[in-house]
Amino acid sequence: SETIETIARVEVDVPENAKAVSRSLLTTHSEYRVAVAQISTDPGDISGNVEKIIDYIAQARSKGAQLVVFPELAIPGYCAMD
């Protein structure tokens, strides 16, 4: 079984020239938790991969994540051969 854990807190410095554009975002959005799911998928097994993704989303949500990020080709599956 794989575990989900907090590994870092990321803070971003906003450049001075971008502050005017993003000021409303900086003041209206609170912190949120992001989970990064590095999962193994099976090429071509779309239904199995989707089930796995849904399971990982449920695990991440139970640990307080509000956003879960998956690999680019998680749904169709991808086998790195390079």
Coordinates of all heavy atoms in Angstrom, one line a residue:
S1 N 0.8 -1.2 0.0 CA 0.0 0.0 0.0 C 0.9 1.2 0.0 O 1.9 1.3 0.7 CB -0.9 -0.1 1.2 OG -1.0 1.1 1.9
E2 N 0.5 2.2 -0.8 CA 1.3 3.5 -0.9 C 0.7 4.5 0.1 O -0.5 4.5 0.4 CB 1.2 4.0 -2.3 CG 1.8 3.0 -3.3 CD 1.8 3.5 -4.7 OE1 2.1 4.7 -4.9 OE2 1.5 2.7 -5.6
T3 N 1.5 5.4 0.6 CA 1.1 6.4 1.5 C 1.1 7.7 0.9 O 1.8 8.0 0.0 CB 2.0 6.4 2.8 OG1 3.3 6.7 2.4 CG2 2.0 5.0 3.5
I4 N 0.3 8.6 1.5 CA 0.3 10.0 1.0 C 0.8 10.8 2.2 O 0.3 10.7 3.3 CB -1.2 10.4 0.7 CG1 -1.7 9.6 -0.5 CG2 -1.2 11.9 0.3 CD1 -3.1 9.8 -0.8
E5 N 1.8 11.7 2.0 CA 2.3 12.5 3.0 C 2.6 13.9 2.6 O 2.8 14.1 1.4 CB 3.6 11.8 3.6 CG 4.7 11.6 2.6 CD 5.9 10.9 3.2 OE1 6.6 11.6 3.9 OE2 6.1 9.8 2.8
T6 N 2.7 14.8 3.5 CA 3.1 16.1 3.2 C 4.6 16.2 3.1 O 5.3 15.8 4.1 CB 2.6 17.1 4.3 OG1 1.2 17.0 4.3 CG2 3.0 18.5 4.0
I7 N 5.2 16.7 2.0 CA 6.6 16.7 1.9 C 7.2 18.1 1.8 O 8.3 18.4 2.0 CB 7.1 15.9 0.7 CG1 6.5 16.4 -0.6 CG2 6.9 14.4 0.9 CD1 7.1 15.8 -1.8
A8 N 6.3 19.1 1.5 CA 6.8 20.5 1.4 C 5.7 21.5 1.5 O 4.6 21.2 1.1 CB 7.6 20.6 0.1
R9 N 6.1 22.7 1.9 CA 5.2 23.8 1.8 C 5.8 24.8 0.9 O 7.0 25.1 1.1 CB 5.0 24.4 3.2 CG 4.1 25.7 3.2 CD 4.1 26.3 4.5 NE 3.6 27.7 4.4 CZ 2.4 28.0 4.8 NH1 1.6 27.1 5.5 NH2 1.9 29.2 4.7
V10 N 5.1 25.2 -0.2 CA 5.7 26.0 -1.2 C 5.1 27.4 -1.0 O 3.9 27.6 -0.9 CB 5.3 25.5 -2.6 CG1 5.8 26.4 -3.7 CG2 5.8 24.1 -2.8
E11 N 6.1 28.4 -1.0 CA 5.7 29.8 -1.0 C 6.3 30.4 -2.2 O 7.4 30.1 -2.6 CB 6.2 30.4 0.3 CG 5.5 29.9 1.5 CD 5.9 30.6 2.8 OE1 6.3 31.8 2.7 OE2 5.6 30.1 3.9
V12 N 5.6 31.3 -2.8 CA 6.0 31.9 -4.1 C 6.1 33.4 -3.9 O 5.2 34.0 -3.4 CB 5.0 31.6 -5.2 CG1 5.5 32.3 -6.5 CG2 4.9 30.1 -5.4
D13 N 7.3 34.0 -4.3 CA 7.4 35.4 -4.3 C 6.9 36.0 -5.6 O 7.2 35.5 -6.7 CB 8.9 35.8 -4.2 CG 9.5 35.5 -2.8 OD1 8.7 35.6 -1.8 OD2 10.7 35.1 -2.7
V14 N 6.0 37.0 -5.5 CA 5.4 37.6 -6.6 C 6.2 38.8 -7.0 O 6.5 39.7 -6.2 CB 4.0 38.0 -6.4 CG1 3.3 38.7 -7.6 CG2 3.1 36.8 -5.9
P15 N 6.7 38.9 -8.3 CA 7.5 40.0 -8.7 C 6.7 41.3 -8.6 O 5.5 41.3 -8.7 CB 7.8 39.8 -10.2 CG 7.6 38.3 -10.3 CD 6.6 37.9 -9.3
E16 N 7.4 42.4 -8.3 CA 6.7 43.7 -8.1 C 5.7 44.1 -9.2 O 4.6 44.5 -9.0 CB 7.7 44.8 -7.9 CG 8.4 44.8 -6.5 CD 7.4 45.0 -5.4 OE1 6.5 45.8 -5.5 OE2 7.6 44.4 -4.4
N17 N 6.2 43.9 -10.5 CA 5.3 44.3 -11.6 C 4.1 43.4 -11.8 O 3.2 43.7 -12.5 CB 6.1 44.3 -12.9 CG 6.8 43.0 -13.3 OD1 6.7 42.0 -12.5 ND2 7.4 42.9 -14.4
A18 N 4.1 42.2 -11.1 CA 2.9 41.3 -11.2 C 2.0 41.5 -10.1 O 0.8 41.0 -10.1 CB 3.4 39.9 -11.3
K19 N 2.4 42.2 -9.0 CA 1.5 42.4 -7.9 C 0.2 43.1 -8.2 O -0.9 42.7 -7.6 CB 2.3 43.1 -6.7 CG 3.3 42.2 -6.1 CD 3.9 42.8 -4.9 CE 4.9 41.9 -4.3 NZ 5.6 42.5 -3.1
A20 N 0.2 44.1 -9.0 CA -1.0 44.8 -9.3 C -2.0 43.9 -10.0 O -3.2 44.0 -9.7 CB -0.7 46.0 -10.2
V21 N -1.5 43.1 -10.9 CA -2.4 42.2 -11.6 C -2.9 41.1 -10.7 O -4.1 40.7 -10.8 CB -1.6 41.5 -12.8 CG1 -2.5 40.5 -13.5 CG2 -1.2 42.6 -13.8
S22 N -2.1 40.6 -9.8 CA -2.5 39.4 -9.0 C -3.0 39.8 -7.6 O -3.3 38.9 -6.8 CB -1.4 38.4 -8.9 OG -0.3 39.0 -8.3
R23 N -3.1 41.0 -7.3 CA -3.4 41.4 -5.9 C -4.7 40.8 -5.5 O -4.9 40.3 -4.3 CB -3.4 42.9 -5.8 CG -3.6 43.4 -4.3 CD -3.3 44.8 -4.1 NE -2.0 45.3 -4.7 CZ -0.8 45.1 -4.2 NH1 -0.6 44.3 -3.1 NH2 0.3 45.5 -4.8
S24 N -5.7 40.8 -6.3 CA -7.0 40.3 -5.9 C -6.9 38.8 -5.7 O -7.6 38.3 -4.7 CB -8.1 40.6 -7.0 OG -7.8 39.9 -8.2
L25 N -6.1 38.1 -6.4 CA -5.9 36.6 -6.2 C -5.2 36.4 -4.9 O -5.5 35.5 -4.1 CB -5.1 36.0 -7.3 CG -5.9 35.9 -8.7 CD1 -4.9 35.4 -9.7 CD2 -7.1 35.0 -8.5
L26 N -4.2 37.2 -4.6 CA -3.5 37.1 -3.3 C -4.3 37.3 -2.1 O -4.1 36.8 -1.1 CB -2.2 38.0 -3.3 CG -1.2 37.7 -4.4 CD1 -0.1 38.8 -4.4 CD2 -0.5 36.4 -4.0
T27 N -5.3 38.2 -2.2 CA -6.1 38.5 -1.1 C -7.4 37.8 -1.0 O -8.0 37.7 0.1 CB -6.4 40.1 -1.1 OG1 -7.1 40.4 -2.3 CG2 -5.2 40.9 -1.0
T28 N -7.8 37.1 -2.0 CA -9.1 36.4 -2.0 C -9.0 34.9 -1.9 O -9.9 34.2 -1.7 CB -10.0 36.7 -3.2 OG1 -9.3 36.3 -4.4 CG2 -10.3 38.2 -3.3
H29 N -7.8 34.4 -2.1 CA -7.6 32.9 -2.1 C -6.8 32.5 -0.9 O -5.7 33.1 -0.6 CB -6.9 32.4 -3.4 CG -7.7 32.5 -4.6 ND1 -8.0 33.7 -5.2 CD2 -8.4 31.6 -5.2 CE1 -8.8 33.5 -6.2 NE2 -9.1 32.2 -6.2
S30 N -7.3 31.5 -0.2 CA -6.6 31.0 1.0 C -5.7 29.9 0.6 O -5.7 29.4 -0.5 CB -7.6 30.6 2.1 OG -8.4 29.6 1.6
E31 N -4.9 29.4 1.6 CA -4.1 28.2 1.3 C -4.9 27.0 0.9 O -6.1 26.9 1.3 CB -3.3 27.8 2.6 CG -2.2 28.7 2.9 CD -1.4 28.2 4.1 OE1 -1.6 27.1 4.5 OE2 -0.5 28.9 4.6
Y32 N -4.4 26.1 0.1 CA -5.0 24.9 -0.2 C -4.0 23.8 -0.3 O -2.8 24.0 -0.5 CB -5.9 24.9 -1.5 CG -5.2 25.4 -2.7 CD1 -4.6 24.4 -3.6 CD2 -5.0 26.7 -3.0 CE1 -3.9 24.8 -4.7 CE2 -4.4 27.1 -4.2 CZ -3.8 26.2 -5.0 OH -3.2 26.6 -6.1
R33 N -4.4 22.6 -0.1 CA -3.5 21.4 -0.1 C -3.5 20.7 -1.4 O -4.6 20.4 -1.9 CB -3.9 20.4 1.0 CG -3.7 21.1 2.4 CD -3.9 20.1 3.5 NE -2.7 19.2 3.6 CZ -2.6 18.3 4.4 NH1 -3.5 17.9 5.2 NH2 -1.4 17.6 4.5
V34 N -2.4 20.4 -1.9 CA -2.2 19.8 -3.2 C -1.6 18.4 -3.0 O -0.6 18.3 -2.3 CB -1.4 20.6 -4.2 CG1 -1.2 19.9 -5.5 CG2 -2.0 22.0 -4.4
A35 N -2.1 17.4 -3.6 CA -1.5 16.0 -3.5 C -1.0 15.7 -4.9 O -1.6 16.0 -5.9 CB -2.6 15.0 -3.1
V36 N 0.2 15.2 -4.9 CA 0.8 14.7 -6.2 C 0.8 13.2 -6.2 O 1.4 12.6 -5.4 CB 2.2 15.3 -6.3 CG1 2.9 14.8 -7.6 CG2 2.3 16.8 -6.3
A37 N 0.1 12.6 -7.1 CA -0.1 11.2 -7.2 C 0.8 10.6 -8.3 O 0.4 10.8 -9.5 CB -1.6 10.8 -7.4
Q38 N 1.9 10.1 -8.0 CA 2.8 9.5 -9.0 C 2.4 8.0 -9.0 O 2.8 7.2 -8.1 CB 4.2 9.7 -8.6 CG 5.2 9.2 -9.7 CD 6.6 9.6 -9.4 OE1 6.9 10.3 -8.4 NE2 7.5 9.2 -10.3
I39 N 1.6 7.6 -9.9 CA 1.0 6.3 -9.9 C 1.5 5.5 -11.1 O 1.8 6.0 -12.2 CB -0.5 6.3 -9.9 CG1 -1.1 7.0 -11.1 CG2 -1.0 7.0 -8.6 CD1 -2.6 6.9 -11.3
S40 N 1.4 4.2 -11.0 CA 1.7 3.3 -12.2 C 0.3 3.0 -12.8 O -0.6 2.6 -12.2 CB 2.3 2.0 -11.7 OG 3.6 2.3 -11.1
T41 N 0.3 3.1 -14.1 CA -0.9 2.8 -14.9 C -0.6 1.7 -15.9 O 0.5 1.4 -16.2 CB -1.5 4.1 -15.6 OG1 -0.4 4.6 -16.4 CG2 -1.9 5.1 -14.6
D42 N -1.7 1.1 -16.4 CA -1.5 0.0 -17.4 C -1.9 0.6 -18.8 O -3.1 1.0 -18.9 CB -2.4 -1.1 -17.0 CG -2.0 -1.8 -15.7 OD1 -0.7 -1.9 -15.5 OD2 -2.8 -2.1 -14.9
P43 N -1.0 0.6 -19.7 CA -1.4 1.1 -21.1 C -2.6 0.4 -21.6 O -2.7 -0.8 -21.6 CB -0.1 0.7 -21.9 CG 1.0 0.6 -20.9 CD 0.3 0.1 -19.7
G44 N -3.6 1.2 -22.1 CA -4.8 0.7 -22.7 C -5.9 0.3 -21.7 O -7.0 0.1 -22.2
D45 N -5.6 0.2 -20.4 CA -6.6 -0.2 -19.5 C -7.3 1.1 -18.9 O -7.1 1.4 -17.7 CB -6.0 -1.0 -18.4 CG -7.0 -1.6 -17.4 OD1 -8.2 -1.4 -17.6 OD2 -6.6 -2.1 -16.3
I46 N -8.1 1.7 -19.7 CA -8.7 3.0 -19.3 C -9.6 2.8 -18.1 O -9.5 3.6 -17.2 CB -9.5 3.6 -20.5 CG1 -8.4 4.0 -21.6 CG2 -10.3 4.8 -20.1 CD1 -9.0 4.5 -22.9
S47 N -10.5 1.8 -18.1 CA -11.4 1.7 -16.9 C -10.6 1.4 -15.7 O -10.9 1.9 -14.6 CB -12.4 0.6 -17.2 OG -11.8 -0.6 -17.4
G48 N -9.6 0.5 -15.8 CA -8.7 0.2 -14.6 C -8.0 1.4 -14.1 O -7.9 1.7 -12.9
N49 N -7.4 2.2 -15.0 CA -6.7 3.4 -14.7 C -7.6 4.4 -14.0 O -7.2 5.1 -13.0 CB -6.0 4.0 -15.9 CG -4.9 3.0 -16.4 OD1 -4.4 2.2 -15.7 ND2 -4.6 3.2 -17.7
V50 N -8.8 4.6 -14.6 CA -9.8 5.5 -14.0 C -10.1 5.1 -12.6 O -10.2 5.9 -11.7 CB -11.0 5.7 -14.9 CG1 -12.1 6.4 -14.2 CG2 -10.6 6.4 -16.2
E51 N -10.4 3.8 -12.4 CA -10.7 3.3 -11.0 C -9.5 3.6 -10.0 O -9.8 4.1 -8.9 CB -10.9 1.8 -11.0 CG -12.3 1.4 -11.6 CD -12.5 -0.1 -11.6 OE1 -12.0 -0.7 -10.6 OE2 -13.2 -0.6 -12.5
K52 N -8.3 3.5 -10.5 CA -7.1 3.7 -9.7 C -7.1 5.2 -9.3 O -6.8 5.6 -8.2 CB -5.9 3.3 -10.4 CG -4.6 3.5 -9.5 CD -3.4 3.0 -10.3 CE -3.3 1.5 -10.3 NZ -2.0 1.0 -10.8
I53 N -7.3 6.1 -10.3 CA -7.3 7.5 -10.1 C -8.4 7.9 -9.1 O -8.1 8.7 -8.2 CB -7.5 8.3 -11.5 CG1 -6.3 8.1 -12.3 CG2 -7.8 9.7 -11.3 CD1 -6.4 8.5 -13.8
I54 N -9.6 7.4 -9.3 CA -10.7 7.7 -8.3 C -10.3 7.3 -6.9 O -10.6 8.0 -5.9 CB -12.0 7.0 -8.8 CG1 -12.5 7.7 -10.1 CG2 -13.1 7.1 -7.7 CD1 -13.6 7.0 -10.8
D55 N -9.7 6.1 -6.8 CA -9.2 5.7 -5.4 C -8.2 6.6 -4.8 O -8.3 7.0 -3.7 CB -8.6 4.3 -5.5 CG -8.2 3.7 -4.2 OD1 -9.0 3.7 -3.3 OD2 -7.0 3.3 -4.1
Y56 N -7.2 7.1 -5.6 CA -6.2 8.0 -5.1 C -6.8 9.3 -4.8 O -6.4 10.0 -3.8 CB -5.1 8.1 -6.2 CG -4.0 7.1 -6.0 CD1 -4.2 5.8 -6.5 CD2 -2.8 7.4 -5.3 CE1 -3.2 4.8 -6.4 CE2 -1.9 6.4 -5.2 CZ -2.1 5.1 -5.7 OH -1.1 4.2 -5.6
I57 N -7.8 9.8 -5.5 CA -8.5 11.0 -5.2 C -9.2 10.9 -3.8 O -9.1 11.8 -3.0 CB -9.5 11.4 -6.3 CG1 -8.8 11.8 -7.6 CG2 -10.4 12.5 -5.8 CD1 -9.7 12.0 -8.8
A58 N -9.8 9.8 -3.6 CA -10.5 9.6 -2.3 C -9.5 9.5 -1.2 O -9.7 10.1 -0.1 CB -11.3 8.2 -2.4
Q59 N -8.4 8.9 -1.4 CA -7.3 8.8 -0.3 C -6.8 10.3 -0.1 O -6.6 10.6 1.1 CB -6.1 8.0 -0.8 CG -6.4 6.5 -0.8 CD -5.2 5.7 -1.2 OE1 -4.1 5.9 -0.7 NE2 -5.3 4.9 -2.3
A60 N -6.5 11.0 -1.1 CA -6.0 12.4 -0.9 C -7.0 13.3 -0.2 O -6.7 14.1 0.6 CB -5.6 12.9 -2.3
R61 N -8.3 13.2 -0.6 CA -9.3 14.0 0.0 C -9.5 13.7 1.5 O -9.7 14.5 2.3 CB -10.6 13.8 -0.7 CG -10.6 14.5 -2.1 CD -12.0 14.4 -2.7 NE -12.9 15.4 -2.1 CZ -14.2 15.4 -2.2 NH1 -14.8 14.6 -3.0 NH2 -14.9 16.4 -1.6
S62 N -9.3 12.4 1.8 CA -9.5 12.0 3.2 C -8.3 12.6 4.1 O -8.4 12.7 5.3 CB -9.5 10.5 3.4 OG -8.2 9.9 3.1
K63 N -7.2 12.9 3.4 CA -6.1 13.5 4.1 C -6.1 15.0 3.9 O -5.1 15.7 4.3 CB -4.8 12.9 3.6 CG -4.7 11.4 3.9 CD -3.4 10.8 3.5 CE -3.4 9.3 3.8 NZ -3.5 9.0 5.2
G64 N -7.1 15.6 3.4 CA -7.3 17.1 3.3 C -6.9 17.7 2.0 O -6.9 18.9 1.9
A65 N -6.5 17.0 1.0 CA -6.1 17.6 -0.3 C -7.4 18.1 -1.0 O -8.4 17.6 -1.0 CB -5.5 16.5 -1.1
Q66 N -7.2 19.3 -1.6 CA -8.2 19.9 -2.3 C -8.0 19.8 -3.8 O -8.8 20.1 -4.6 CB -8.3 21.4 -1.9 CG -8.8 21.5 -0.4 CD -8.4 22.8 0.1 OE1 -7.3 23.2 0.2 NE2 -9.5 23.5 0.6
L67 N -6.7 19.5 -4.2 CA -6.4 19.3 -5.6 C -5.4 18.1 -5.7 O -4.5 18.0 -4.9 CB -5.6 20.6 -6.1 CG -5.0 20.5 -7.5 CD1 -6.1 20.4 -8.6 CD2 -4.2 21.7 -7.8
V68 N -5.7 17.2 -6.6 CA -4.8 16.1 -6.8 C -4.3 16.1 -8.2 O -5.0 16.2 -9.2 CB -5.5 14.7 -6.6 CG1 -4.6 13.6 -6.7 CG2 -6.3 14.7 -5.3
V69 N -2.9 16.0 -8.4 CA -2.3 16.1 -9.7 C -1.8 14.7 -10.0 O -1.1 14.1 -9.2 CB -1.1 17.1 -9.6 CG1 -0.4 17.2 -11.0 CG2 -1.6 18.5 -9.2
F70 N -2.1 14.3 -11.3 CA -1.7 13.0 -11.8 C -0.8 13.2 -13.0 O -0.8 14.2 -13.6 CB -3.0 12.2 -12.2 CG -3.8 11.7 -11.0 CD1 -4.8 12.5 -10.6 CD2 -3.6 10.5 -10.4 CE1 -5.6 12.2 -9.5 CE2 -4.3 10.1 -9.3 CZ -5.3 10.9 -8.9
P71 N -0.1 12.1 -13.4 CA 0.8 12.1 -14.5 C -0.1 12.5 -15.8 O -1.3 12.2 -15.9 CB 1.3 10.7 -14.7 CG 1.3 10.2 -13.3 CD 0.0 10.8 -12.7
E72 N 0.6 13.0 -16.8 CA 0.0 13.5 -18.0 C -0.9 12.5 -18.7 O -2.0 12.8 -19.1 CB 1.1 14.0 -18.9 CG 0.6 14.5 -20.3 CD 1.7 15.0 -21.1 OE1 2.9 14.8 -20.7 OE2 1.4 15.5 -22.2
L73 N -0.5 11.2 -18.8 CA -1.2 10.2 -19.5 C -1.7 9.1 -18.6 O -1.7 7.9 -18.9 CB -0.3 9.6 -20.6 CG 0.1 10.6 -21.7 CD1 1.1 10.0 -22.6 CD2 -1.1 11.0 -22.5
A74 N -2.2 9.5 -17.4 CA -2.7 8.6 -16.4 C -3.9 7.8 -16.9 O -4.0 6.6 -16.6 CB -3.0 9.3 -15.1
I75 N -4.8 8.4 -17.6 CA -6.0 7.7 -18.0 C -5.8 6.6 -19.1 O -6.1 5.5 -18.9 CB -7.1 8.7 -18.4 CG1 -7.6 9.5 -17.2 CG2 -8.3 8.0 -19.1 CD1 -8.6 10.6 -17.5
P76 N -5.1 7.0 -20.2 CA -4.9 5.9 -21.2 C -3.7 5.0 -20.8 O -3.6 3.9 -21.3 CB -4.6 6.7 -22.5 CG -4.0 8.0 -22.0 CD -4.8 8.3 -20.7
G77 N -2.9 5.5 -19.9 CA -1.7 4.7 -19.5 C -0.6 5.0 -20.4 O -0.8 5.3 -21.6
Y78 N 0.6 4.9 -19.9 CA 1.8 5.2 -20.7 C 2.9 4.3 -20.2 O 3.2 4.3 -19.0 CB 2.1 6.6 -20.6 CG 3.4 7.0 -21.4 CD1 3.5 7.0 -22.7 CD2 4.6 7.2 -20.7 CE1 4.6 7.3 -23.4 CE2 5.8 7.5 -21.3 CZ 5.8 7.6 -22.7 OH 6.9 7.9 -23.4
C79 N 3.6 3.7 -21.0 CA 4.8 2.9 -20.7 C 6.0 3.5 -21.2 O 6.2 3.5 -22.4 CB 4.6 1.4 -21.2 SG 5.9 0.4 -20.7
A80 N 6.8 4.1 -20.4 CA 8.0 4.8 -20.8 C 9.0 3.8 -21.3 O 9.5 2.9 -20.6 CB 8.6 5.6 -19.7
M81 N 9.3 3.8 -22.6 CA 10.3 2.9 -23.2 C 11.6 3.6 -23.6 O 12.4 3.0 -24.3 CB 9.6 2.3 -24.4 CG 8.3 1.6 -24.2 SD 8.5 0.2 -23.0 CE 9.0 -1.1 -24.1
D82 N 11.8 4.8 -23.1 CA 13.0 5.5 -23.5 C 14.1 5.5 -22.4 O 13.9 5.1 -21.3 CB 12.7 7.0 -23.8 CG 11.8 7.7 -22.8 OD1 11.2 7.0 -22.0 OD2 11.8 8.9 -22.9

